[in-house]
Amino acid sequence: MSRTAIQVLKGIFCLALLHLVMGQGCATTTPTADTTGDDQTTDETNEAGGGTSTSDRVTLNVIKLTTEATTERGPAVGDGVLAFDAENGTWLAWLAAGQTQPSQVSAPHEMAHDRNAFAFGGKKLVIRDRYSGSLYVFDTETQTAKAMPFASINMGGIAGPNYWTVDGNLVATVNASTTTADGAGKRIKVVNISDMNDFTITAYNLPGTADPDAIDLDADNDQMVVRAGDYLYVYTISAPLTLATRFNLAEVSGAGDSTVLIRDGLITLFDDNDYFSILRISDSSVGSPSRNPARASRGAAMNGNRWAYFVTQTDDDGSTIDQYNRAVVGTGDTLTSVLDPAGTCVNGSDTSDGRIGFGATLAITPSGKYVFVAGETTVSVDVDERLFVSVDGADFQMVADPDDSLNAIRAAGVAASDNMVAFLIPASLSGSSSYVRVAYATLSP
């Protein structure tokens, strides 16, 4: 399908969405922020990037790049570095904080980046090879690349699944059943990439016969979770010979088929009814916030004792086209109190320019200080896709953009670390275009 045809379809979807949400309780008051003069200063200081804030806007020092990005996915963010799919997928770009011109990520011989599969661990970028289903690592400090052993790390070739994740120097992988280099049937493996000259691979047993289809790890707490069927298996990373703890989710509402995350002794998942749920490892208890069902296909985010997901409980929460949804945020294993955005309209009157706290992508910084919401990456960054941020659990606010007529930056595909946030922006604020670029800002801890 041509780019123009896709854009037309997205426009039809958006018109249908507006028909659904017009008239839904948006505030009719004019936004009160940025009314103090041309310098947009205020006595209320916000810690994000050392910027300023009023009741509904945060100012970040946003740097807008000029290199063409793509809508395959949003950027990846690490420790002061970012990467993105560039110029119709012809190369993988990266740069460090403060830079405005990206460089090309190098790849080992006969390997190239999968346009949807790359993630940072610190300053190292882990990339899936688009041809083999194996992984390679690019070190941004030395600007060198090295492939993981194909005989050990192989997700099944070009058409194979994409079950792997990165946390710090550890990469957790679900490998093809035909991979036997580390022992027959050893499909679950963790790769330590701290030494680029000597990757260390550790294999783990997976009980049962169900195929694993989700994996996540918490390096700081030495834990990894794998889903296979309705079971969750929790491993101690440093003890590969110790049997995993098994949790049978069939006894509740199933383990679903969407994102599974593990942090600080908690596992988040979406059950078979698309309810966002939290499993507490210490006592095997499972619970769900009252704000359910959820938009399971959009996944969730969890970091720094905070979690977030999109809800579909009421007609006011979003739409069936899965593009503009209300994000709710919670803390720890507390299920009865969540940050629930009111959905005030960006333009103060209707939904055509977006609603505060609504979007399709989420990012939480590892410290849990910042929770970001932005739009969907597909096709373009539309006028109703904006960047919102909650700081220290406070209400969502718009991020200012003096180039925008409403002083609210348009954004999709957000990603964040403790010191950087990055996202897609439209190449032009005038007219409609599927061409996108990347913007980023540094964050203070």
Side-chain angles (χ1 to χ4, degrees):
M1 183 180 293
S2 69
R3 190 186 294 269
T4 301
I6 295 173
Q7 185 68 35
V8 169
L9 285 175
K10 189 168 183 181
I12 293 172
F13 287 159
C14 292
L15 288 174
L17 175 64
L18 288 177
H19 176 73
L20 288 171
V21 301
M22 283 294 285
Q24 296 174 355
C26 280
T28 57
T29 56
T30 302
T32 57
D34 301 322
T35 58
T36 56
D38 292 339
D39 60 357
Q40 299 179 3
T41 57
T42 174
D43 291 335
E44 184 180 352
T45 300
N46 183 275
E47 295 180 3
T52 59
S53 166
T54 61
S55 61
D56 63 359
R57 277 174 180 76
V58 168
T59 300
L60 299 177
N61 183 23
V62 176
I63 296 175
K64 298 178 180 180
L65 306 182
T66 58
T67 303
E68 181 187 339
T70 75
T71 56
E72 282 293 309
R73 54 158 285 176
V77 173
D79 179 12
V81 285
L82 67 86
F84 62 94
D85 188 58
E87 296 181 336
N88 201 31
T90 55
W91 58 296
L92 184 60
W94 80 276
L95 55 77
Q99 296 177 337
T100 58
Q101 294 298 321
S103 301
Q104 183 169 354
V105 173
S106 60
H109 181 60
E110 294 186 344
M111 300 183 84
H113 77 284
D114 183 323
R115 298 177 66 187
N116 285 294
F118 49 92
F120 275 104
K123 294 185 181 296
K124 294 186 177 74
L125 183 64
V126 182
I127 307 122
R128 177 184 163 116
D129 175 34
R130 68 173 70 178
Y131 306 116
S132 69
S134 189
L135 299 175
Y136 62 96
V137 182
F138 175 76
D139 188 335
T140 61
E141 293 184 299
T142 63
Q143 299 187 38
T144 57
K146 182 179 179 181
M148 295 182 187
F150 179 74
S152 293
I153 306 301
N154 173 16
M155 273 146 269
I158 192 169
N162 192 38
Y163 304 137
W164 60 277
T165 188
V166 186
D167 188 15
N169 283 316
L170 300 182
V171 184
T173 62
V174 176
N175 294 274
S177 58
T178 55
T179 303
T180 59
D182 305 290
K186 296 292 184 73
R187 300 182 62 185
I188 309 303
K189 303 175 188 181
V190 171
V191 186
N192 188 317
I193 61 173
S194 56
D195 184 352
M196 288 282 289
N197 296 314
D198 186 20
F199 293 151
T200 302
I201 299 175
T202 305
Y204 300 78
N205 287 316
L206 180 67
T209 58
D211 281 335
D213 63 359
I215 191 167
D216 194 42
L217 60 86
D218 179 2
D220 287 342
N221 290 293
D222 198 26
Q223 289 186 315
M224 173 174 62
V225 62
V226 174
R227 179 181 62 212
D230 278 327
Y231 292 100
L232 296 180
Y233 298 92
V234 176
Y235 296 83
T236 299
I237 299 171
S238 61
L241 299 181
T242 301
L243 292 176
T245 302
R246 188 178 73 171
F247 298 92
N248 185 0
L249 276 297
E251 297 176 352
V252 281
S253 297
D257 58 5
S258 185
T259 305
V260 173
L261 301 173
I262 185 169
R263 296 289 187 278
D264 303 316
L266 301 177
I267 298 173
T268 65
L269 66 144
F270 296 89
D271 68 17
D272 292 349
N273 299 312
D274 284 349
Y275 270 54
F276 175 84
S277 304
I278 296 178
L279 185 154
R280 187 165 54 200
I281 296 172
S282 61
D283 61 7
S284 306
S285 62
V286 181
S288 299
S290 61
R291 291 296 265 124
N292 267 299
R295 185 74 70 189
S297 61
R298 285 293 174 201
M302 182 164 64
N303 260 326
N305 205 38
R306 294 194 198 281
W307 39 263
Y309 63 101
F310 294 109
V311 290
T312 61
Q313 184 180 18
T314 71
D315 290 341
D316 188 51
D317 290 330
S319 81
T320 57
I321 69 169
D322 193 14
Q323 190 163 325
Y324 313 99
N325 314 281
R326 176 182 271 113
V328 297
V329 183
T331 304
D333 57 2
T334 302
L335 302 175
T336 57
S337 177
V338 297
L339 171 61
D340 194 343
T344 303
C345 295
V346 169
N347 61 20
S349 58
D350 61 46
T351 62
S352 60
D353 295 300
R355 299 177 70 185
I356 299 175
F358 275 56
T361 53
L362 292 162
I364 303 178
T365 58
S367 68
K369 182 178 181 65
Y370 303 102
V371 181
F372 291 96
V373 174
E376 157 64 48
T377 62
T378 303
V379 180
S380 64
V381 182
D382 288 338
V383 70
D384 46 1
E385 295 176 298
R386 309 278 175 163
L387 182 65
F388 308 109
V389 61
S390 166
V391 184
D392 289 327
D395 288 341
F396 280 105
Q397 299 171 283
M398 293 175 274
V399 174
D401 180 8
D403 296 330
D404 180 78
S405 61
L406 294 172
N407 192 23
I409 197 162
R410 291 166 59 180
V414 65
S417 64
D418 277 334
N419 55 21
M420 180 181 280
V421 59
F423 42 89
L424 298 179
I425 58 171
S428 172
L429 292 177
S430 61
S432 178
S433 171
S434 59
Y435 291 101
V436 296
R437 295 173 179 167
V438 169
Y440 74 90
T442 56
L443 303 172
S444 60

